Amino acid sequence: RCSTPNPWALFVPVHIELLVPVLTASKPLRRGQRLGAENLLVKKKSSTSLPSNYLRAGDVIIGQVAARDIGIGSVLTQSMFKPEKLVKRGQRVMLSMKSGAIAVRVSGIAMADGARGERIKVKNLSSERIVDGTVSDANLILVGSSSIR
């Protein structure tokens, strides 16, 4: 803007673009493939073209499994992945129950597949009862005292 006796103004069109570091697929991923660091590439992308649930650089998804085929260079979203199943149906597992100072561990058989934190049914091999438990690790199911049927 000029404030001389003959004032004038100049308007310049501006396009502002915010580049965000996002996770992309460094190679094609197949449905069911476990995600490793070698499958990831951080790229800067315009925030206006990103899906709402995109994964940022630093988000932890290694070890998850592709829920569908993913093309090379695709911006990764949480919905493209699901947690890896740590327990498979028919797998022998350890049931662990703790109440105060008392802890009990018995063998069981998983009645369903399960990822960390998921609740599944497990057959207690000692009592032949079916119990509900939470997958804690590849061979460990945590059972609460109210889960026994």
Side-chain angles (χ1 to χ4, degrees), residues 13-136:
V14 176
H15 174 74
I16 298 175
E17 184 175 69
L18 175 63
L19 296 178
V20 180
V22 298
L23 292 177
T24 62
S26 64
K27 54 183 87 167
L29 296 168
R30 294 280 167 228
R31 182 176 189 238
Q33 182 177 344
R34 187 173 186 271
L35 188 66
E38 69 278 3
N39 305 116
L40 301 175
L41 186 62
V42 177
K43 285 189 177 177
K44 288 188 176 186
K45 298 277 188 174
S46 172
S47 62
T48 58
S49 65
L50 293 173
S52 62
N53 61 346
Y54 69 91
L55 294 170
R56 300 170 191 256
D59 285 346
V60 180
I61 60 165
I62 292 181
Q64 292 196 19
V65 177
R68 60 180 176 85
D69 289 345
I70 301 168
I72 189 169
S74 296
V75 173
L76 303 180
T77 65
Q78 189 59 54
S79 60
M80 292 177 173
F81 300 93
K82 57 187 177 184
E84 181 179 24
K85 299 293 184 185
L86 295 177
V87 173
K88 305 289 186 217
R89 181 180 183 177
Q91 176 182 334
R92 191 178 186 107
V93 295
M94 184 63 62
L95 292 167
S96 178
M97 181 178 166
K98 186 174 182 180
S99 180
I102 300 171
V104 177
R105 285 183 167 232
V106 295
S107 293
I109 298 290
M111 306 298 284
D113 293 348
R116 186 180 317 277
E118 286 184 337
R119 292 191 57 81
I120 63 169
K121 296 195 181 305
V122 181
K123 184 177 186 178
N124 178 333
L125 293 178
S126 297
S127 68
E128 298 291 317
R129 287 185 175 176
I130 305 291
V131 297
D132 289 325
T134 304
V135 177
S136 175

